[in-house]
Amino acid sequence: QQAVFGGGLLDYLRSGITYICTGGFVVGNTASQYGTLTAGHCQPTSGVYSYFGQDGASHSLTHVARAYNSTSDIGWARPVPAASVGPWVWTGAAYAQVTGRRTQAATTVGNVICRYGRTGGYGCATVFSKAYSPGSICGPAVPGTAACSATFVGLNSSAGLCQDGDSGGPWFIAVAGGAVAAGVH
């Protein structure tokens, strides 16, 4: 059965231009509605994405919400009509079951965290900070110019892991039998 999983490819058309991003993780709310996370700057304030899974699945996802400001860059879209969803994330070669999550507070300097993006593919980096401030690159002002008022997990050795189209993709920690969600690109 074709389903919506983390790491799927997301496209949307706006003003005749196709924008591309990567889906993060499948999440749900208290109303048992499930959808996929991506970066807020990828997501229009309304509209429809085309989802393309690594398993050949193809679905339409409708915008639900997004936060794109000095503290957040996250969006959420749901399959419409409803489609099967699952706790799986693409790791670059296969799907892995998501078995938990790692919060920023629980992250340790020296942890290795991996990611998948539609352009940059699979790669890993080492945590150098749990409270990294990227300076003035946040928010929807001229893209990447508003001051950040939040801190993030800082990673080193990530050369090539941030390419156009990778935004919204999953960051995860590989564990025996699956993956632990660590963030969204």
Side-chain angles (χ1 to χ4, degrees), residues 36-38 40 43-45 49 62-67 74-78:
T36 188
L37 294 176
T38 191
Q43 192 166 359
T45 54
Y49 284 106
T62 298
H63 164 86
V64 176
R66 79 172 185 159
I74 195 87
W76 182 44
R78 293 185 53 226

Side-chain angles (χ1 to χ4, degrees), residues 107-131:
T107 299
T108 303
V109 171
N111 282 153
V112 174
I113 300 179
C114 300
R115 54 70 97 191
Y116 177 76
R118 73 184 292 164
T119 306
Y122 172 83
C124 300
T126 304
V127 174
F128 72 82
S129 173
K130 295 173 43 163

